[in-house]
Amino acid sequence: MSIVFVGTYTKDNQSDGVYAFRMDDTTGAWTRIAQNIPKINNPSFLVADRKNHRLFATGEVGEGIVAAFRYDPVSGALTFVNQQPSQGADPCHLSVLKTGSHVLVANYSSGTFAMLPVSADGSLRPATDTIQDSGTGPNKGRQEGPHAHSINLDTSNKLAYGCDLGTDKVMIFRPNPKTGKLVPNDPAFAAVHPGGGPRHFAFHPKKPVVYSINELDCTVTVFAWDKVSGALRELQTITTLPRPYQPTDSCADVHVSADGKFLYGSNRGHDSIAIFAIGADGKLTTVGNESTQGKTPRNFAIDPSGNFLFAANQNSNTIVAYKIDKKTGKLTATGAKIEVPAPVCIVFG
């Protein structure tokens, strides 16, 4: 059995905030775990520190917060620990250092990235560093200023990549756990094409390539990645849609399969998961698109075995389960739909 946590939007008080489930690793079926924990407003992104059995959640509100929980790895029971200001408005993404010593947060509306230390008991301490991004992009409605949308650690934890949707840049930092600082790298950023709007980011598990999914024009940019210098060099940009882009379309999440053979990305508006095969050079070839059987798939997750993909349909209050064909990368719906109010993040404990 695996433990799964789901973050939601709590609008209209219809959601309990963070939900917990047990997953049958053979069938992919979910069973809800009853919880009685303090309700966090808009826990729209979660990250698990599996080594220390901790869960961190954003509180995506005007003056944002990051909340800390402990969880029982067997029962899935959550215990609220504390919360701290996220150092910005509308925090929407988190990463945790593999030692568990610090949490990194991206604040969308204020365009800030921050670093918060974690105490030995799992409680968060006030931020030790905040980086204010600056700049604009050509999309007047969405790129009037910086919009930090994710902060992503490489496996060495020596580099962190922050996608800024508002400036068409992927910012590059070197988090220093000794000083608690997010030190700007040299080079300090990599650019995506104007108006792309980089949102989420994925590392290939074996190749020196990384992927940025670009919200504003539904594309994925493939970068060659220098693991030493941190530099990124664009190799390819490819559409996630099987038809021409429409103004109601936008991308959201991106993940690479554990074996490194396939990349998946979510399309809102088209309401599908885009499927790509990954070549020897890391470049992408379109395999197809699978309907998410709901509206607005903001987030999705692949289970630790790599057998199942779960798509969270924010505006139809469902999480839909798919079996992954590991030879072709294609998805087949299992028939399972989990009812959750406004689900927007799925993370395995």
Side-chain angles (χ1 to χ4, degrees), residues 215-252:
E215 176 175 338
L216 300 183
D217 65 357
C218 291
T219 59
V220 175
T221 298
V222 184
F223 290 100
W225 174 40
D226 187 318
K227 297 182 180 182
V228 177
S229 72
L232 304 178
R233 176 175 55 85
E234 183 177 348
L235 297 176
Q236 178 192 26
T237 294
I238 187 171
T239 182
T240 63
L241 296 168
R243 54 152 172 77
Y245 169 83
Q246 298 178 10
T248 54
D249 294 327
S250 65
C251 278

Side-chain angles (χ1 to χ4, degrees), residues 170-247:
V170 178
M171 309 305 295
I172 311 172
F173 305 104
R174 290 187 179 270
N176 187 327
K178 292 183 179 179
T179 64
K181 298 295 184 181
L182 273 173
V183 181
N185 187 60
D186 181 15
F189 68 89
V192 304
H193 55 280
R199 178 187 172 102
H200 278 196
F201 196 81
F203 296 87
H204 194 281
K206 301 174 183 177
K207 303 178 188 294
V209 290
V210 295
Y211 304 90
S212 167
I213 195 162
N214 306 313
E215 176 175 338
L216 300 183
D217 65 357
C218 291
T219 59
V220 175
T221 298
V222 184
F223 290 100
W225 174 40
D226 187 318
K227 297 182 180 182
V228 177
S229 72
L232 304 178
R233 176 175 55 85
E234 183 177 348
L235 297 176
Q236 178 192 26
T237 294
I238 187 171
T239 182
T240 63
L241 296 168
R243 54 152 172 77
Y245 169 83
Q246 298 178 10

